[in-house]
Amino acid sequence: MTEDQGNVCVPAVGTMVLDKRRDRVGEVMDATASWVYLRAFGGGREWVTALEDVEPVGVHERLRARVAEVNAARQRRP
């Protein structure tokens, strides 16, 4: 998290955060004072969520995102 917008910190581009509303971990692609643009760690479709719905990820969430990425990549193989 970097810039402070009032009492809510705007996450830096490239950091991993948890979207609490969707219970998904994503990489920050862009952020404004109100919105955060996220993408799944291994790629995929970008989604938008409100700034107040994101929080920094811990080790557990980071590992969960990486395991999901590896599993998805294995399923795509012929």
Side-chain angles (χ1 to χ4, degrees):
M1 301 289 186
T2 57
E3 306 166 34
D4 189 8
Q5 300 287 334
N7 60 353
V8 179
C9 291
V10 177
V13 172
T15 59
M16 291 181 73
V17 296
L18 173 65
D19 179 349
K20 297 182 290 187
R21 182 173 298 243
R22 291 176 181 84
D23 192 33
R24 289 181 67 189
V25 174
E27 180 181 3
V28 176
M29 304 309 290
D30 194 13
T32 67
S34 302
W35 302 103
V36 180
Y37 299 83
L38 301 170
R39 178 168 288 152
F41 181 70
R45 293 191 67 170
E46 197 171 273
W47 76 92
V48 182
T49 192
L51 181 60
E52 61 268 9
D53 290 337
V54 299
E55 64 183 28
V57 295
V59 175
H60 174 74
E61 291 89 359
R62 189 179 302 266
L63 180 59
R64 183 179 77 167
R66 291 183 192 263
V67 167
E69 175 194 356
V70 169
N71 288 340
R74 287 187 181 193
Q75 289 178 356
R76 288 190 296 261
R77 288 187 195 164

